[in-house]
Amino acid sequence: MSNTAYIFDAIRTPRSKGKKDGTLHEVKPIDLGAGLLKALQSRQDLDTSYVDDVIMGCVSPVGEQGTDIAKMIAQNADWDASVAGVQLNRFCASGLEAINTAAAKVASGWDNLIVAGGIECMSRVPMGSDGGAMGMDAAFAVKESFVPQGIGADTIATLDGYSREDVDAYALESQRRAAHARDNGWFDSAVVPVVDGNGATILQRDDFIKADSTMEGLGGLRASFEEMGKYGFDDIIIKKYPQLERINHVHTPGNSSGIVDGASAVLIGSKQAQSDLGLKPRAKVIATAILASDPVIMLTGPGPAAKKALKTAGMTTSDIDLWEINEAFASVALRYMRDLDIDHDVTNVVGGAIAMGHPLGATGGCIMGSMLNELERRDLKTGMLSLCVGGGMGISCIIERV
């Protein structure tokens, strides 16, 4: 008989521009992550010797993010020497994969308390630093008809008929919602300010959000992947989807996820941990799912993954109150809502990665915090979290408030 996996807390850092002029560029990954673990310890009056494992997603686990950064973060936070740590990489799903893995370990009865989340300091360890076959091995790329994700996003828009105005309008609403939530303090309980070694605050709130965005401004941005498409990638897509005469390149920096620095941490445990440590559960994990879809377009997995999770849980879309989909690109979110026949009114209700940025390995934990806060603030019960993933994968998790 499985045990229930409870979520006791979910926190994150503010997110900031993932370039050398970003506010968090001065902060080492192990310090950014350690700040969250120290905050969890303080918020929960946590005996860290009780923690079985720290599972952290990281998509570029090299350089400052190498050598099993999860364990390094636990040590840097001065947690008990008995606390283990493991870094994992499922591309953009890494943070939610960490959460789902932690929930499975708790449900098995083999672990009682785990911290799961992720870290990505994209200003210090640029995306793609880890190399690998995807996009780096020419023979593999030709064999697998590889195209960059942005080309895949533009292909979704072309197949589904989303215009430049459609994706820009979605992006503008993401900015509006995120700015409104931040400025009204809706993120404050989940966001842990980043401080330096002297305790001085480096960043207290998200500073990547562009609250002054307009349709005119978004419309003036150049398509990011049009030139890339001319180098043969559009031809690869059209060969696979011959019903298309051309690819409509609609995605720009304004309607795609932002490159940022950020980290997240979610405390997941058993009924026994609750009893032993006096923890208060906020939600429980109902079902998780992982699958893969077309690896060429690469971004169509979230809807099918959500449906798989619903089937596992014996639920339907009408049983879900709020939905979170990582806004890798606007067309991904639009396809997700179309696949599941859900409204934007209940999807990404406080904005998403287009506005706040996508710290690759950490995003799954970031959206968990947003989901928990909004379920509580709105007095709702159930939430679905989903992300698109490199290689055509999709991941989902259903939670229910306790």
Side-chain angles (χ1 to χ4, degrees), residues 145-360:
S145 299
F146 169 80
V147 300
Q149 283 193 346
I151 302 287
D154 286 340
T155 303
I156 291 173
T158 306
L159 287 168
D160 290 359
Y162 304 133
S163 67
R164 174 65 181 270
E165 289 72 23
D166 292 332
V167 292
D168 281 350
Y170 181 89
L172 184 64
E173 182 62 9
S174 180
Q175 295 285 357
R176 188 196 68 79
R177 293 181 182 191
H180 182 78
R182 178 195 61 187
D183 296 346
N184 282 276
W186 296 355
F187 296 146
D188 289 355
S189 64
V191 174
V192 175
V194 179
V195 299
D196 65 17
N198 297 316
T201 298
I202 297 172
L203 184 63
Q204 184 165 354
R205 286 183 164 188
D206 297 297
D207 68 359
F208 189 78
I209 300 169
K210 299 172 180 60
D212 58 352
S213 296
T214 64
M215 281 295 286
E216 183 180 12
L218 291 171
L221 297 174
R222 293 181 59 186
S224 298
F225 308 101
E226 187 168 11
E227 286 300 314
M228 195 179 294
K230 294 177 182 178
Y231 293 132
F233 291 119
D234 282 4
D235 293 336
I236 292 172
I237 289 289
I238 291 170
K239 183 177 179 180
K240 184 173 177 62
Y241 293 91
Q243 70 269 36
L244 298 178
E245 294 183 1
R246 59 182 295 274
I247 307 301
N248 186 21
H249 292 285
V250 298
H251 286 93
T252 70
N255 54 44
S256 307
S257 56
I259 293 172
V260 295
D261 295 336
S264 60
V266 180
L267 188 62
I268 299 172
S270 64
K271 187 76 172 178
Q272 188 65 51
Q274 176 189 350
S275 175
D276 290 346
L277 301 179
L279 300 170
K280 182 180 179 181
R282 297 173 64 187
K284 57 185 177 181
V285 177
I286 301 299
T288 71
I290 188 73
L291 52 68
S293 58
D294 178 9
V296 179
I297 292 183
M298 206 183 297
L299 302 168
T300 57
K307 291 178 181 179
K308 183 179 180 180
L310 288 170
K311 183 177 180 180
T312 298
M315 302 170 75
T316 67
T317 54
S318 63
D319 295 315
I320 304 297
D321 294 315
L322 293 179
W323 305 74
E324 278 282 339
I325 170 67
N326 183 37
E327 294 173 353
F329 302 91
S331 66
V332 172
L334 293 171
R335 164 68 73 93
Y336 183 74
M337 292 187 286
R338 176 178 290 190
D339 281 350
L340 296 161
D341 192 25
I342 57 177
D343 294 329
H344 199 185
D345 289 346
V346 293
T347 307
N348 289 17
V349 293
V350 290
I354 288 173
M356 290 179 278
H358 176 24
L360 305 178

Side-chain angles (χ1 to χ4, degrees), residues 53-57 70 84-88 97-98 101-102 105 114-118:
D53 207 357
V54 175
I55 307 175
M56 302 292 282
V86 62
Q87 171 271 328
L88 58 79
E97 177 65 26
T101 299
K105 292 180 74 175
I114 299 173
V115 175

